[in-house]
């Protein structure tokens, strides 16, 4: 992998780790605060999954590594995936 995208490649690797943890498709995911400078990143990196309000989501993506107790991608650098189950 050659890093030519600067910080954007960090987001790529973060999404790759999320994809490894998520079911193959049909996940309901809340995206807290979006992805900086990449409004279509969710659909590009996680096709087959759906955006949902946090109240009905199975998972949450946030830039805050402590957003919820169950951080499923602690090795990520910018965006983190959480289990939203109570």
């Amino acid at each position: 992998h050659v890093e030519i995208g600067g910080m954007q490649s960090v987001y790529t690797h973060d999404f790759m780790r999320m994809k490894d943890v998520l079911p193959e498709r049909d996940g309901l995911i809340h995206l807290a605060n979006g992805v900086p400078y990449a409004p279509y990143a969710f659909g590009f990196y996680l096709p087959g999954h759906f955006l949902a309000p946090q109240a009905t989501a199975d998972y949450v993506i946030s830039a805050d590594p402590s957003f919820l107790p169950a951080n499923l991608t602690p090795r990520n650098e910018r965006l983190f995936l959480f289990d939203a189950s109570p």
Side-chain angles (χ1 to χ4, degrees):
H1 173 79
V2 177
E3 186 170 331
I4 58 173
M7 290 307 298
Q8 296 308 315
S9 66
V10 172
Y11 291 108
T12 297
H13 290 284
D14 284 354
F15 273 105
M16 288 169 58
R17 287 185 204 92
M18 287 181 218
K19 191 170 182 177
D20 288 342
V21 174
L22 287 166
E24 190 172 322
R25 54 186 312 101
D26 299 329
L28 297 175
I29 303 171
H30 175 67
L31 182 58
N33 302 320
V35 180
Y37 311 109
Y40 305 110
F42 178 89
F44 180 78
Y45 289 112
L46 301 175
H49 295 284
F50 302 96
L51 288 173
Q54 187 173 348
T56 60
D58 302 315
Y59 303 93
V60 175
I61 295 173
S62 173
D64 177 359
S66 302
F67 188 80
L68 290 172
N71 185 341
L72 301 174
T73 54
R75 290 182 44 229
N76 281 9
E77 296 182 37
R78 298 283 181 216
L79 294 174
F80 304 88
L81 179 69
F82 299 88
D83 185 342
S85 303

